[in-house]
Amino acid sequence: MTNKKPNIVQQIWRFYLNGFRSMSGWGRQVWLIILIKLFIMFAILKVFFFPNFLKTNFETDQERSDYVLEILTEPKE
């Protein structure tokens, strides 16, 4: 007879899964709105408002690292 306990990740997963299963329809709608807002913030806004400055302006990793080092170490006026 073995008393094998599920690991902590499985326990956490089951906890949230049971919570979502027993959630009311109103709660599920709220979570859907939250997930949609997170998707908009991280996927869509990142593409349009936060372009990859280093990737577009420098060719190699060495040029990128030199630029970052220069910006970080220049004295403030």
Side-chain angles (χ1 to χ4, degrees):
M1 181 169 28
T2 61
N3 285 338
K4 187 174 181 184
K5 274 180 48 175
N7 66 15
I8 190 73
V9 176
Q10 287 177 338
Q11 290 176 346
I12 293 171
W13 173 254
R14 287 182 185 150
F15 173 77
Y16 282 103
L17 187 62
N18 290 333
F20 286 127
R21 282 182 183 159
S22 63
M23 188 180 298
S24 67
W26 181 83
R28 289 182 185 174
Q29 288 177 346
V30 171
W31 272 107
L32 180 64
I33 291 170
I34 290 169
L35 292 174
I36 290 170
K37 287 175 77 172
L38 286 172
F39 174 76
I40 290 171
M41 286 191 315
F42 289 109
I44 296 174
L45 292 180
K46 182 185 180 314
V47 171
F48 292 111
F49 293 107
F50 303 105
N52 194 343
F53 175 78
L54 294 175
K55 194 72 145 179
T56 57
N57 292 333
F58 300 101
E59 295 291 325
T60 65
D61 286 339
Q62 183 62 42
E63 291 175 349
R64 292 181 196 112
S65 64
D66 290 341
Y67 174 76
V68 171
L69 182 64
E70 179 183 328
I71 294 299
L72 289 176
T73 57
E74 71 183 16
K76 300 280 184 183
E77 293 179 11

